[in-house]
Amino acid sequence: MYGGANKNLLMSAHVTGKTITAGVNNALGTISLKRMVAKISFYYKIADGVKGLLKVNKISISNVPNVLKVGETTAASYPTSLTPCTISDVISPTENTVYSCFIPENWQGTTSNTDPKTKNDAAPSNAVYIRIFYLQAKKEMKKEIKIQKIPH
């Protein structure tokens, strides 16, 4: 993926009214580049009241688009049909460690919901989400957190 030792991030630009001729110095003026990937950084912390009762054993980032949009961006949801993939799982994660990755942008929209108890209910259906798997009283369970589009 991108980041870390790989300092290259995919960028794109959309320009009209310019002619590019191979083999010559083309006067293109200023071309603004836009990123094609989004950075997700997160960590988890177990509340003091349940420390020792829960053990996080895996984290997955799901509903990651497997396509990139190149060219002019619009406000419409993209991709319209999603064949999602999952980023490699973090096995045996550590509390308070920041995990980061770069993923193709997933333009699924935003909601106005600010209630943390119901935020997943109102999240767009194809939103990227983080799955935190944990052990509790010898039963494996999962917690899903949906991420809404972050405005540019």
Side-chain angles (χ1 to χ4, degrees), residues 12-45:
S12 70
H14 179 78
V15 178
T16 58
K18 302 285 184 180
T19 302
I20 299 174
T21 305
V24 299
N25 187 4
N26 294 279
L28 299 176
T30 301
I31 298 176
S32 297
L33 296 174
K34 293 188 178 192
R35 64 180 170 79
M36 295 175 63
V37 293
K39 182 178 182 179
I40 295 177
S41 293
F42 66 93
Y43 69 94
Y44 71 92
K45 180 177 167 106

Side-chain angles (χ1 to χ4, degrees), residues 110-129:
T110 60
T111 66
S112 59
N113 182 28
T114 57
D115 182 357
K117 292 181 182 177
T118 61
K119 69 179 177 188
N120 291 344
D121 299 335
S125 61
N126 290 327
V128 171
Y129 62 96

Side-chain angles (χ1 to χ4, degrees), residues 82-94:
L82 187 64
T83 305
C85 61
T86 299
I87 298 291
S88 297
D89 295 335
V90 178
I91 307 296
S92 301
T94 306

